[in-house]
Short mmCIF file of all heavy atoms in Angstrom, two decimals:
data_model
loop_
_atom_site.label_atom_id
_atom_site.label_comp_id
_atom_site.label_asym_id
_atom_site.label_seq_id
_atom_site.Cartn_x
_atom_site.Cartn_y
_atom_site.Cartn_z
N TYR Y 189 -19.89 -42.04 40.52
CA TYR Y 189 -19.53 -43.45 40.71
C TYR Y 189 -18.02 -43.64 40.65
O TYR Y 189 -17.46 -44.51 41.33
CB TYR Y 189 -20.24 -44.34 39.69
CG TYR Y 189 -20.17 -45.81 40.05
CD1 TYR Y 189 -20.66 -46.26 41.28
CD2 TYR Y 189 -19.60 -46.74 39.19
CE1 TYR Y 189 -20.58 -47.59 41.64
CE2 TYR Y 189 -19.52 -48.08 39.54
CZ TYR Y 189 -20.02 -48.50 40.76
OH TYR Y 189 -19.93 -49.82 41.13
N ALA Y 190 -17.34 -42.79 39.87
CA ALA Y 190 -15.87 -42.86 39.82
C ALA Y 190 -15.29 -42.62 41.21
O ALA Y 190 -14.33 -43.30 41.62
CB ALA Y 190 -15.33 -41.83 38.83
N LEU Y 191 -15.88 -41.68 41.94
CA LEU Y 191 -15.38 -41.42 43.30
C LEU Y 191 -15.66 -42.60 44.23
O LEU Y 191 -14.85 -42.94 45.08
CB LEU Y 191 -16.02 -40.14 43.85
CG LEU Y 191 -15.49 -38.84 43.24
CD1 LEU Y 191 -16.27 -37.64 43.74
CD2 LEU Y 191 -14.00 -38.66 43.53
N VAL Y 192 -16.83 -43.24 44.02
CA VAL Y 192 -17.16 -44.41 44.84
C VAL Y 192 -16.16 -45.53 44.56
O VAL Y 192 -15.66 -46.19 45.48
CB VAL Y 192 -18.60 -44.89 44.55
CG1 VAL Y 192 -18.89 -46.20 45.27
CG2 VAL Y 192 -19.61 -43.82 44.96
N ILE Y 193 -15.82 -45.73 43.29
CA ILE Y 193 -14.85 -46.77 42.93
C ILE Y 193 -13.50 -46.46 43.59
O ILE Y 193 -12.86 -47.35 44.16
CB ILE Y 193 -14.70 -46.86 41.38
CG1 ILE Y 193 -15.96 -47.48 40.78
CG2 ILE Y 193 -13.46 -47.68 41.00
CD1 ILE Y 193 -15.96 -47.55 39.26
N GLY Y 194 -13.10 -45.19 43.58
CA GLY Y 194 -11.84 -44.80 44.20
C GLY Y 194 -11.82 -45.09 45.69
O GLY Y 194 -10.87 -45.66 46.22
N GLU Y 195 -12.92 -44.70 46.34
CA GLU Y 195 -13.01 -44.90 47.79
C GLU Y 195 -13.00 -46.38 48.14
O GLU Y 195 -12.29 -46.82 49.05
CB GLU Y 195 -14.32 -44.29 48.28
CG GLU Y 195 -14.16 -43.23 49.35
CD GLU Y 195 -15.42 -42.40 49.44
OE1 GLU Y 195 -16.43 -42.92 49.95
OE2 GLU Y 195 -15.42 -41.24 48.95
N THR Y 196 -13.81 -47.15 47.40
CA THR Y 196 -13.90 -48.58 47.67
C THR Y 196 -12.54 -49.24 47.45
O THR Y 196 -12.13 -50.09 48.23
CB THR Y 196 -14.95 -49.23 46.74
OG1 THR Y 196 -16.16 -48.50 46.87
CG2 THR Y 196 -15.20 -50.67 47.11
N GLY Y 197 -11.87 -48.83 46.38
CA GLY Y 197 -10.55 -49.38 46.09
C GLY Y 197 -9.58 -49.14 47.23
O GLY Y 197 -8.85 -50.03 47.64
N ARG Y 198 -9.60 -47.92 47.75
CA ARG Y 198 -8.68 -47.63 48.86
C ARG Y 198 -9.00 -48.44 50.10
O ARG Y 198 -8.10 -48.93 50.78
CB ARG Y 198 -8.68 -46.13 49.16
CG ARG Y 198 -7.38 -45.45 48.67
CD ARG Y 198 -7.38 -43.97 48.91
NE ARG Y 198 -8.50 -43.34 48.25
CZ ARG Y 198 -8.58 -43.20 46.93
NH1 ARG Y 198 -7.60 -43.60 46.15
NH2 ARG Y 198 -9.65 -42.66 46.38
N GLU Y 199 -10.31 -48.63 50.34
CA GLU Y 199 -10.68 -49.49 51.48
C GLU Y 199 -10.16 -50.91 51.28
O GLU Y 199 -9.86 -51.62 52.22
CB GLU Y 199 -12.21 -49.54 51.62
CG GLU Y 199 -12.78 -48.33 52.37
CD GLU Y 199 -14.28 -48.19 52.15
OE1 GLU Y 199 -14.93 -49.19 51.77
OE2 GLU Y 199 -14.79 -47.07 52.36
N MET Y 200 -10.09 -51.33 50.00
CA MET Y 200 -9.60 -52.69 49.71
C MET Y 200 -8.08 -52.73 49.64
O MET Y 200 -7.49 -53.77 49.37
CB MET Y 200 -10.18 -53.15 48.36
CG MET Y 200 -11.69 -53.40 48.39
SD MET Y 200 -12.40 -53.49 46.69
CE MET Y 200 -11.65 -55.01 46.08
N GLY Y 201 -7.45 -51.57 49.86
CA GLY Y 201 -5.99 -51.52 49.86
C GLY Y 201 -5.37 -51.41 48.48
O GLY Y 201 -4.21 -51.75 48.29
N VAL Y 202 -6.15 -50.93 47.50
CA VAL Y 202 -5.63 -50.82 46.14
C VAL Y 202 -4.86 -49.50 45.97
O VAL Y 202 -5.33 -48.45 46.40
CB VAL Y 202 -6.79 -50.87 45.11
CG1 VAL Y 202 -6.28 -50.62 43.70
CG2 VAL Y 202 -7.50 -52.21 45.19
N ASP Y 203 -3.70 -49.58 45.33
CA ASP Y 203 -2.94 -48.37 45.02
C ASP Y 203 -3.19 -48.02 43.55
O ASP Y 203 -2.65 -48.66 42.65
CB ASP Y 203 -1.45 -48.64 45.28
CG ASP Y 203 -0.58 -47.52 44.72
OD1 ASP Y 203 -1.07 -46.38 44.59
OD2 ASP Y 203 0.59 -47.80 44.41
N PHE Y 204 -4.02 -47.01 43.31
CA PHE Y 204 -4.41 -46.70 41.93
C PHE Y 204 -3.23 -46.20 41.09
O PHE Y 204 -3.21 -46.35 39.89
CB PHE Y 204 -5.56 -45.69 41.90
CG PHE Y 204 -6.89 -46.31 42.22
CD1 PHE Y 204 -7.40 -46.26 43.51
CD2 PHE Y 204 -7.61 -46.98 41.24
CE1 PHE Y 204 -8.62 -46.86 43.82
CE2 PHE Y 204 -8.83 -47.58 41.54
CZ PHE Y 204 -9.33 -47.52 42.84
N ALA Y 205 -2.25 -45.60 41.77
CA ALA Y 205 -1.08 -45.10 41.03
C ALA Y 205 -0.35 -46.27 40.37
O ALA Y 205 0.29 -46.10 39.33
CB ALA Y 205 -0.16 -44.34 41.97
N GLY Y 206 -0.48 -47.44 40.94
CA GLY Y 206 0.23 -48.60 40.40
C GLY Y 206 -0.57 -49.37 39.35
O GLY Y 206 -0.07 -50.36 38.80
N LEU Y 207 -1.81 -48.93 39.05
CA LEU Y 207 -2.64 -49.63 38.07
C LEU Y 207 -2.45 -49.03 36.68
O LEU Y 207 -2.09 -47.86 36.55
CB LEU Y 207 -4.12 -49.53 38.45
CG LEU Y 207 -4.57 -50.23 39.74
CD1 LEU Y 207 -6.09 -50.13 39.89
CD2 LEU Y 207 -4.14 -51.69 39.76
N PRO Y 208 -2.70 -49.80 35.62
CA PRO Y 208 -2.55 -49.26 34.26
C PRO Y 208 -3.65 -48.27 33.86
O PRO Y 208 -3.56 -47.67 32.78
CB PRO Y 208 -2.59 -50.50 33.36
CG PRO Y 208 -2.97 -51.64 34.20
CD PRO Y 208 -2.98 -51.24 35.63
N LEU Y 209 -4.68 -48.11 34.68
CA LEU Y 209 -5.79 -47.20 34.36
C LEU Y 209 -5.24 -45.81 34.03
O LEU Y 209 -4.42 -45.27 34.75
CB LEU Y 209 -6.73 -47.11 35.57
CG LEU Y 209 -8.06 -46.41 35.34
CD1 LEU Y 209 -8.88 -47.15 34.30
CD2 LEU Y 209 -8.83 -46.31 36.64
N ARG Y 210 -5.70 -45.24 32.89
CA ARG Y 210 -5.08 -44.05 32.36
C ARG Y 210 -6.05 -42.89 32.15
O ARG Y 210 -5.74 -41.73 32.35
CB ARG Y 210 -4.45 -44.43 31.02
CG ARG Y 210 -3.54 -43.45 30.37
CD ARG Y 210 -2.99 -44.02 29.06
NE ARG Y 210 -3.99 -44.00 28.03
CZ ARG Y 210 -4.37 -45.07 27.31
NH1 ARG Y 210 -3.83 -46.24 27.52
NH2 ARG Y 210 -5.31 -44.96 26.40
N VAL Y 211 -7.26 -43.22 31.71
CA VAL Y 211 -8.20 -42.15 31.36
C VAL Y 211 -9.63 -42.59 31.68
O VAL Y 211 -9.94 -43.79 31.64
CB VAL Y 211 -8.04 -41.75 29.87
CG1 VAL Y 211 -8.31 -42.92 28.95
CG2 VAL Y 211 -8.93 -40.57 29.50
N GLY Y 212 -10.46 -41.63 32.05
CA GLY Y 212 -11.85 -41.93 32.34
C GLY Y 212 -12.78 -41.01 31.56
O GLY Y 212 -12.47 -39.83 31.37
N PHE Y 213 -13.90 -41.56 31.09
CA PHE Y 213 -14.91 -40.78 30.37
C PHE Y 213 -16.15 -40.73 31.25
O PHE Y 213 -16.82 -41.73 31.44
CB PHE Y 213 -15.21 -41.40 29.02
CG PHE Y 213 -14.01 -41.41 28.11
CD1 PHE Y 213 -13.13 -42.48 28.12
CD2 PHE Y 213 -13.74 -40.34 27.28
CE1 PHE Y 213 -12.01 -42.48 27.31
CE2 PHE Y 213 -12.62 -40.33 26.47
CZ PHE Y 213 -11.75 -41.41 26.48
N PHE Y 214 -16.39 -39.54 31.81
CA PHE Y 214 -17.43 -39.45 32.83
C PHE Y 214 -18.53 -38.50 32.38
O PHE Y 214 -18.26 -37.40 31.90
CB PHE Y 214 -16.81 -38.96 34.14
CG PHE Y 214 -15.64 -39.81 34.59
CD1 PHE Y 214 -14.37 -39.27 34.70
CD2 PHE Y 214 -15.82 -41.16 34.88
CE1 PHE Y 214 -13.29 -40.05 35.11
CE2 PHE Y 214 -14.74 -41.95 35.29
CZ PHE Y 214 -13.48 -41.40 35.40
N GLY Y 215 -19.76 -38.92 32.56
CA GLY Y 215 -20.88 -38.09 32.15
C GLY Y 215 -22.19 -38.61 32.71
O GLY Y 215 -22.22 -39.35 33.68
N ALA Y 216 -23.28 -38.19 32.08
CA ALA Y 216 -24.65 -38.56 32.45
C ALA Y 216 -25.15 -37.83 33.68
O ALA Y 216 -26.27 -38.05 34.12
CB ALA Y 216 -24.82 -40.07 32.62
N GLU Y 217 -24.31 -36.97 34.27
CA GLU Y 217 -24.76 -36.11 35.36
C GLU Y 217 -23.84 -34.90 35.40
O GLU Y 217 -22.68 -35.00 34.99
CB GLU Y 217 -24.77 -36.86 36.70
CG GLU Y 217 -23.40 -37.31 37.13
CD GLU Y 217 -23.41 -38.20 38.38
OE1 GLU Y 217 -24.44 -38.81 38.67
OE2 GLU Y 217 -22.37 -38.26 39.05
N PRO Y 218 -24.34 -33.76 35.89
CA PRO Y 218 -23.47 -32.59 35.93
C PRO Y 218 -22.38 -32.75 36.98
O PRO Y 218 -22.60 -33.35 38.03
CB PRO Y 218 -24.42 -31.45 36.32
CG PRO Y 218 -25.66 -32.08 36.80
CD PRO Y 218 -25.69 -33.49 36.38
N TRP Y 219 -21.19 -32.26 36.66
CA TRP Y 219 -20.11 -32.27 37.65
C TRP Y 219 -19.27 -31.03 37.46
O TRP Y 219 -19.48 -30.26 36.53
CB TRP Y 219 -19.30 -33.57 37.60
CG TRP Y 219 -18.77 -34.02 36.26
CD1 TRP Y 219 -19.49 -34.15 35.10
CD2 TRP Y 219 -17.44 -34.43 35.95
NE1 TRP Y 219 -18.68 -34.64 34.11
CE2 TRP Y 219 -17.42 -34.81 34.60
CE3 TRP Y 219 -16.26 -34.52 36.69
CZ2 TRP Y 219 -16.27 -35.26 33.96
CZ3 TRP Y 219 -15.11 -34.98 36.04
CH2 TRP Y 219 -15.13 -35.36 34.70
N SER Y 220 -18.31 -30.83 38.36
CA SER Y 220 -17.59 -29.56 38.40
C SER Y 220 -16.10 -29.78 38.21
O SER Y 220 -15.61 -30.89 38.23
CB SER Y 220 -17.83 -28.88 39.74
OG SER Y 220 -17.30 -29.68 40.77
N GLN Y 221 -15.42 -28.64 38.05
CA GLN Y 221 -13.97 -28.67 37.90
C GLN Y 221 -13.31 -29.25 39.16
O GLN Y 221 -12.34 -30.00 39.06
CB GLN Y 221 -13.50 -27.24 37.64
CG GLN Y 221 -12.04 -27.10 37.27
CD GLN Y 221 -11.67 -27.85 36.00
OE1 GLN Y 221 -12.51 -28.05 35.11
NE2 GLN Y 221 -10.43 -28.29 35.91
N SER Y 222 -13.85 -28.91 40.33
CA SER Y 222 -13.22 -29.41 41.54
C SER Y 222 -13.42 -30.93 41.66
O SER Y 222 -12.58 -31.64 42.18
CB SER Y 222 -13.75 -28.69 42.78
OG SER Y 222 -15.12 -28.91 42.93
N MET Y 223 -14.56 -31.41 41.14
CA MET Y 223 -14.80 -32.85 41.16
C MET Y 223 -13.81 -33.53 40.21
O MET Y 223 -13.35 -34.64 40.47
CB MET Y 223 -16.22 -33.13 40.73
CG MET Y 223 -16.74 -34.44 41.25
SD MET Y 223 -18.54 -34.42 41.18
CE MET Y 223 -18.89 -36.15 41.35
N ARG Y 224 -13.49 -32.86 39.10
CA ARG Y 224 -12.50 -33.42 38.18
C ARG Y 224 -11.16 -33.63 38.91
O ARG Y 224 -10.56 -34.69 38.82
CB ARG Y 224 -12.28 -32.50 36.99
CG ARG Y 224 -11.16 -33.07 36.17
CD ARG Y 224 -10.70 -32.36 34.91
NE ARG Y 224 -11.43 -31.33 34.29
CZ ARG Y 224 -11.91 -31.39 33.05
NH1 ARG Y 224 -11.76 -32.50 32.35
NH2 ARG Y 224 -12.53 -30.37 32.53
N GLN Y 225 -10.75 -32.59 39.66
CA GLN Y 225 -9.48 -32.70 40.37
C GLN Y 225 -9.53 -33.84 41.39
O GLN Y 225 -8.57 -34.59 41.54
CB GLN Y 225 -9.15 -31.38 41.06
CG GLN Y 225 -8.64 -30.34 40.07
CD GLN Y 225 -8.89 -28.91 40.50
OE1 GLN Y 225 -9.38 -28.67 41.61
NE2 GLN Y 225 -8.57 -27.96 39.64
N GLU Y 226 -10.68 -33.97 42.05
CA GLU Y 226 -10.84 -35.02 43.05
C GLU Y 226 -10.71 -36.41 42.40
O GLU Y 226 -10.00 -37.28 42.91
CB GLU Y 226 -12.22 -34.87 43.68
CG GLU Y 226 -12.29 -35.08 45.16
CD GLU Y 226 -13.72 -34.84 45.66
OE1 GLU Y 226 -14.28 -33.75 45.37
OE2 GLU Y 226 -14.28 -35.73 46.28
N ILE Y 227 -11.39 -36.58 41.26
CA ILE Y 227 -11.36 -37.88 40.58
C ILE Y 227 -9.94 -38.17 40.08
O ILE Y 227 -9.43 -39.29 40.23
CB ILE Y 227 -12.35 -37.91 39.40
CG1 ILE Y 227 -13.79 -37.83 39.91
CG2 ILE Y 227 -12.16 -39.18 38.57
CD1 ILE Y 227 -14.83 -37.63 38.81
N GLU Y 228 -9.31 -37.16 39.52
CA GLU Y 228 -7.98 -37.38 38.95
C GLU Y 228 -6.98 -37.76 40.04
O GLU Y 228 -6.13 -38.62 39.85
CB GLU Y 228 -7.52 -36.13 38.18
CG GLU Y 228 -8.37 -35.88 36.95
CD GLU Y 228 -7.80 -34.86 35.97
OE1 GLU Y 228 -7.07 -33.95 36.42
OE2 GLU Y 228 -8.10 -34.98 34.76
N ALA Y 229 -7.13 -37.12 41.22
CA ALA Y 229 -6.23 -37.45 42.33
C ALA Y 229 -6.55 -38.84 42.88
O ALA Y 229 -5.66 -39.59 43.27
CB ALA Y 229 -6.35 -36.40 43.43
N SER Y 230 -7.83 -39.18 42.88
CA SER Y 230 -8.25 -40.45 43.49
C SER Y 230 -7.88 -41.65 42.61
O SER Y 230 -7.39 -42.66 43.10
CB SER Y 230 -9.76 -40.40 43.73
OG SER Y 230 -10.25 -41.68 44.06
N LEU Y 231 -8.11 -41.54 41.30
CA LEU Y 231 -7.93 -42.70 40.42
C LEU Y 231 -6.65 -42.62 39.58
O LEU Y 231 -6.34 -43.57 38.86
CB LEU Y 231 -9.14 -42.84 39.47
CG LEU Y 231 -10.49 -43.18 40.11
CD1 LEU Y 231 -11.59 -43.22 39.06
CD2 LEU Y 231 -10.44 -44.51 40.85
N HIS Y 232 -5.94 -41.51 39.67
CA HIS Y 232 -4.73 -41.32 38.86
C HIS Y 232 -5.03 -41.48 37.37
O HIS Y 232 -4.43 -42.30 36.67
CB HIS Y 232 -3.62 -42.28 39.29
CG HIS Y 232 -3.10 -41.96 40.66
ND1 HIS Y 232 -2.00 -41.17 40.87
CD2 HIS Y 232 -3.58 -42.29 41.88
CE1 HIS Y 232 -1.81 -41.04 42.18
NE2 HIS Y 232 -2.76 -41.70 42.80
N VAL Y 233 -6.03 -40.72 36.89
CA VAL Y 233 -6.42 -40.75 35.48
C VAL Y 233 -6.60 -39.33 34.98
O VAL Y 233 -6.64 -38.39 35.77
CB VAL Y 233 -7.79 -41.47 35.28
CG1 VAL Y 233 -7.68 -42.94 35.62
CG2 VAL Y 233 -8.89 -40.79 36.10
N ASP Y 234 -6.69 -39.18 33.66
CA ASP Y 234 -7.23 -37.96 33.08
C ASP Y 234 -8.74 -38.14 33.10
O ASP Y 234 -9.25 -39.11 32.54
CB ASP Y 234 -6.75 -37.79 31.63
CG ASP Y 234 -5.34 -37.22 31.57
OD1 ASP Y 234 -5.10 -36.19 32.23
OD2 ASP Y 234 -4.48 -37.81 30.89
N ALA Y 235 -9.46 -37.21 33.72
CA ALA Y 235 -10.91 -37.32 33.81
C ALA Y 235 -11.54 -36.41 32.76
O ALA Y 235 -11.40 -35.19 32.84
CB ALA Y 235 -11.39 -36.95 35.21
N LEU Y 236 -12.20 -37.00 31.76
CA LEU Y 236 -12.80 -36.22 30.68
C LEU Y 236 -14.31 -36.23 30.77
O LEU Y 236 -14.92 -37.24 31.15
CB LEU Y 236 -12.35 -36.78 29.33
CG LEU Y 236 -10.84 -36.80 29.09
CD1 LEU Y 236 -10.52 -37.37 27.71
CD2 LEU Y 236 -10.23 -35.41 29.26
N ASP Y 237 -14.89 -35.11 30.40
CA ASP Y 237 -16.34 -34.94 30.47
C ASP Y 237 -16.96 -35.38 29.14
O ASP Y 237 -16.44 -35.04 28.07
CB ASP Y 237 -16.64 -33.45 30.73
CG ASP Y 237 -18.08 -33.20 31.13
OD1 ASP Y 237 -18.82 -34.19 31.32
OD2 ASP Y 237 -18.46 -32.02 31.27
N ILE Y 238 -18.03 -36.12 29.20
CA ILE Y 238 -18.77 -36.42 27.97
C ILE Y 238 -20.23 -36.02 28.18
O ILE Y 238 -20.74 -36.02 29.29
CB ILE Y 238 -18.67 -37.90 27.53
CG1 ILE Y 238 -19.34 -38.84 28.54
CG2 ILE Y 238 -17.22 -38.31 27.35
CD1 ILE Y 238 -19.33 -40.29 28.10
N TYR Y 239 -20.86 -35.64 27.08
CA TYR Y 239 -22.23 -35.10 27.19
C TYR Y 239 -23.11 -35.72 26.12
O TYR Y 239 -22.66 -35.98 25.00
CB TYR Y 239 -22.20 -33.58 27.01
CG TYR Y 239 -23.56 -32.94 26.93
CD1 TYR Y 239 -24.26 -32.60 28.08
CD2 TYR Y 239 -24.15 -32.68 25.69
CE1 TYR Y 239 -25.51 -32.02 28.02
CE2 TYR Y 239 -25.42 -32.10 25.62
CZ TYR Y 239 -26.09 -31.77 26.78
OH TYR Y 239 -27.33 -31.20 26.71
N GLY Y 240 -24.33 -35.93 26.48
CA GLY Y 240 -25.28 -36.41 25.49
C GLY Y 240 -26.68 -36.37 26.03
O GLY Y 240 -26.90 -36.11 27.20
N LEU Y 241 -27.64 -36.56 25.15
CA LEU Y 241 -29.02 -36.67 25.58
C LEU Y 241 -29.70 -37.66 24.65
O LEU Y 241 -29.41 -37.69 23.45
CB LEU Y 241 -29.73 -35.32 25.64
CG LEU Y 241 -29.83 -34.40 24.44
CD1 LEU Y 241 -30.75 -33.24 24.77
CD2 LEU Y 241 -28.48 -33.84 24.06
N SER Y 242 -30.55 -38.48 25.21
CA SER Y 242 -31.10 -39.58 24.42
C SER Y 242 -31.94 -39.04 23.26
O SER Y 242 -32.01 -39.66 22.21
CB SER Y 242 -31.92 -40.51 25.31
OG SER Y 242 -32.94 -39.80 25.95
N GLU Y 243 -32.54 -37.85 23.42
CA GLU Y 243 -33.36 -37.29 22.34
C GLU Y 243 -32.51 -37.01 21.10
O GLU Y 243 -33.04 -36.94 19.99
CB GLU Y 243 -34.05 -36.00 22.81
CG GLU Y 243 -35.10 -36.21 23.88
CD GLU Y 243 -34.51 -36.33 25.28
OE1 GLU Y 243 -33.26 -36.28 25.41
OE2 GLU Y 243 -35.29 -36.49 26.24
N MET Y 244 -31.20 -36.81 21.29
CA MET Y 244 -30.31 -36.63 20.14
C MET Y 244 -29.75 -37.99 19.71
O MET Y 244 -29.81 -38.37 18.57
CB MET Y 244 -29.15 -35.69 20.50
CG MET Y 244 -29.50 -34.23 20.42
SD MET Y 244 -30.08 -33.76 18.77
CE MET Y 244 -31.77 -33.32 19.14
N ILE Y 245 -29.16 -38.71 20.66
CA ILE Y 245 -28.60 -40.02 20.35
C ILE Y 245 -28.30 -40.80 21.63
O ILE Y 245 -28.42 -42.01 21.71
CB ILE Y 245 -27.28 -39.88 19.50
CG1 ILE Y 245 -26.87 -41.20 18.86
CG2 ILE Y 245 -26.14 -39.31 20.31
CD1 ILE Y 245 -27.54 -41.45 17.54
N GLY Y 246 -27.90 -40.06 22.68
CA GLY Y 246 -27.33 -40.65 23.90
C GLY Y 246 -25.97 -40.03 24.10
O GLY Y 246 -25.73 -38.92 23.59
N PRO Y 247 -25.05 -40.69 24.79
CA PRO Y 247 -23.71 -40.10 24.94
C PRO Y 247 -23.05 -39.95 23.57
O PRO Y 247 -23.34 -40.74 22.67
CB PRO Y 247 -22.96 -41.13 25.80
CG PRO Y 247 -23.71 -42.41 25.62
CD PRO Y 247 -25.14 -42.01 25.42
N GLY Y 248 -22.21 -38.93 23.42
CA GLY Y 248 -21.53 -38.75 22.14
C GLY Y 248 -21.93 -37.48 21.42
O GLY Y 248 -21.42 -37.18 20.36
#
Side-chain angles (χ1 to χ4, degrees):
Chain Y
Y189 194 57
L191 287 174
V192 173
I193 288 177
E195 237 162 73
T196 308
R198 253 178 302 288
E199 278 163 21
M200 291 164 67
V202 174
D203 169 26
F204 283 96
L207 294 186
L209 191 62
R210 191 179 75 234
V211 60
F213 297 90
F214 306 117
E217 63 187 23
W219 51 310
S220 63
Q221 188 61 28
S222 62
M223 205 161 164
R224 174 180 347 241
Q225 284 153 5
E226 221 177 306
I227 293 171
E228 293 193 332
S230 168
L231 294 178
H232 292 265
V233 293
D234 280 309
L236 301 181
D237 193 6
I238 66 176
Y239 173 84
L241 57 173
S242 58
E243 292 82 358
M244 279 302 114
I245 195 85

